[in-house]
Amino acid sequence: MQVYLNGKIVPAKEAVVSVFDHGFLYGDGIYETMRVYDGVVFMLDEHIKRLYRSASLIGLSIPLDTDSLKISIFETLIANNLKNAYVRLTVSRGHGTIGLDPELCAEPTTVIIVQGLKEYPRSFYENGISIIIPKTRRNLKEAINPRIKSLNFLNNILAKIEAKKRDAYEAVMLNSCGKLTEGTISNLFFYRDGLLCTPSADCGILDGITRGIVVEIAMRDGLKVKEGEFTREDLYSAEEVFITNTTLEVMPVSKVDDRVYIPGNVTNLLHKAYRQEVNAYVSNVKAKGPSIWDQNE
Ligand code: PMP
């Protein structure tokens, strides 16, 4: 495996970062996860835009401009000969002496890891996965703004540990007011009384790119969508539940705590429509002309 590290593509075992990197010492940094379909990075501009937003919210200046970042992603994919992949792009505050002050770090550390996509088992999509509502609450949005896609994941990891203990795949956290927020790596949707519901940004969530697409598709297909504040009881009384993210796409949920759900028509319809959206995006990018892949084949 080849990894991009600060301007160079190197074998994975040489891709090492200092123990004085503030990403390691303090979780001081940001990242994006992208999915590549047939050589096309889905929603690349949106992911890059969110990366720069995260950087700006923590006062971090990304050492590359957007075009160079995009080229570096493709170069890393080409170096690994991967056309269906997962991309993890991380920018940490960089190497400095011990101390919280970001100014101790001269230069951010930029890393791009790409991995072949391990598709989720078909049974997950057919039967749904199990989720819980953990005791761990979502970080207060006034403390760590969840719109910053940061390396600081301990809140989510604590919730994930609870999920694993209860044999569940994902944990959907409540906020400090007891309202539903999001999963540790996903956004939440449920369908109830003819309404597609999802917690609003104000509840303290990351505005997932997949979530945005699903909301758009649902409205286009004539579904009524409600972004708002919801309680655990709202979710328990739902007819269908699903979670979304870049790699999972639209994943049906079969169980929330002890409540059981059967993946239904709305979830299936939205997943199909999401896939069509992906295919249209990929065809569109390809139709625009030769890609960086063509010069490397
Ligand atoms: N919420 C959290 C906390 C996440 O980590 C993710 C995954 N990036 C999401 C939601 C979903 O975001 P996206 O659809 O952009 O992958």
Side-chain angles (χ1 to χ4, degrees):
M1 187 202 281
Q2 305 285 313
V3 173
Y4 173 98
L5 173 62
N6 296 331
K8 289 198 191 107
I9 293 179
V10 296
K13 61 176 185 306
E14 289 169 30
V16 286
V17 173
S18 165
V19 293
F20 292 99
D21 196 288
H22 281 208
F24 173 71
L25 288 173
Y26 307 116
D28 186 358
I30 50 157
Y31 80 101
E32 276 296 318
T33 299
M34 289 159 262
R35 183 164 168 176
V36 189
Y37 297 86
D38 199 17
V40 175
V41 186
F42 185 53
M43 304 297 277
L44 177 57
D45 287 337
E46 289 73 8
H47 282 284
I48 298 287
K49 194 166 155 208
R50 192 170 65 184
L51 183 80
Y52 278 85
R53 180 185 80 190
S54 297
S56 143
L57 287 167
I58 68 163
L60 174 74
S61 165
I62 297 177
L64 296 163
D65 62 29
T66 55
D67 283 347
S68 315
L69 259 188
K70 288 183 195 173
I71 289 169
S72 305
I73 293 171
F74 283 108
E75 284 175 348
T76 316
L77 286 165
I78 287 163
N80 288 280
N81 197 23
L82 282 174
K83 284 197 161 178
N84 289 290
Y86 158 101
V87 177
R88 158 90 189 205
L89 167 49
T90 307
V91 187
S92 81
R93 191 75 67 179
H95 163 281
T97 51
I98 289 181
L100 298 191
D101 185 353
E103 285 181 17
L104 295 169
C105 308
E107 186 72 12
T109 302
T110 309
V111 176
I112 303 170
I113 299 171
V114 300
Q115 263 176 14
L117 204 75
K118 245 186 34 214
E119 296 262 3
Y120 291 92
R122 264 181 87 98
S123 61
F124 279 29
Y125 290 99
E126 282 164 10
N127 309 327
I129 49 137
S130 191
I131 70 176
I132 59 154
I133 299 177
K135 290 203 175 70
T136 305
R137 296 280 170 118
R138 188 75 180 109
N139 280 331
L140 203 61
K141 67 179 197 285
E142 292 80 6
I144 297 186
N145 182 351
R147 283 164 58 83
I148 305 167
K149 202 163 161 50
S150 88
L151 301 184
N152 216 302
F153 245 61
L154 209 46
N155 180 214
N156 314 43
I157 290 166
L158 292 173
K160 176 75 180 180
I161 290 170
E162 287 189 58
K164 288 193 73 172
K165 276 194 189 140
R166 291 171 57 190
D167 245 351
Y169 180 80
E170 177 61 301
V172 170
M173 292 167 274
L174 301 174
N175 62 19
S176 59
C177 309
K179 300 294 191 287
L180 292 164
T181 62
E182 62 184 339
T184 62
I185 54 159
S186 63
N187 289 115
L188 172 74
F189 285 84
F190 59 95
Y191 184 70
R192 200 177 71 129
D193 297 334
L195 271 184
L196 183 68
C197 305
T198 189
S200 68
D202 286 345
C203 297
I205 60 163
L206 176 76
D207 47 346
I209 290 173
T210 322
R211 173 186 180 278
I213 297 171
V214 168
V215 166
E216 229 177 83
I217 294 172
M219 294 201 299
R220 200 176 61 202
D221 285 358
L223 281 171
K224 286 201 189 100
V225 180
K226 186 173 172 202
E227 296 183 52
E229 283 194 337
F230 303 101
T231 62
R232 148 201 321 255
E233 286 70 31
D234 294 328
L235 182 59
Y236 287 159
S237 58
E239 294 144 46
E240 293 181 40
V241 182
F242 63 89
I243 56 173
T244 62
N245 81 15
T246 296
T247 45
L248 292 167
E249 303 179 335
V250 173
M251 176 64 79
V253 169
S254 56
K255 210 166 158 226
V256 181
D257 294 335
D258 291 327
R259 310 287 163 133
V260 175
Y261 309 80
I262 296 165
N265 290 341
V266 174
T267 309
N268 292 337
L269 181 139
L270 288 171
H271 195 192
K272 262 198 206 127
Y274 181 82
R275 269 285 165 149
Q276 280 165 4
E277 199 69 23
V278 170
N279 292 340
Y281 181 98
V282 171
S283 308
N284 210 7
V285 169
K286 291 191 170 187
K288 280 194 181 139
S291 76
I292 191 162
W293 289 98
D294 300 318
Q295 299 140 35
N296 287 276
E297 277 176 347

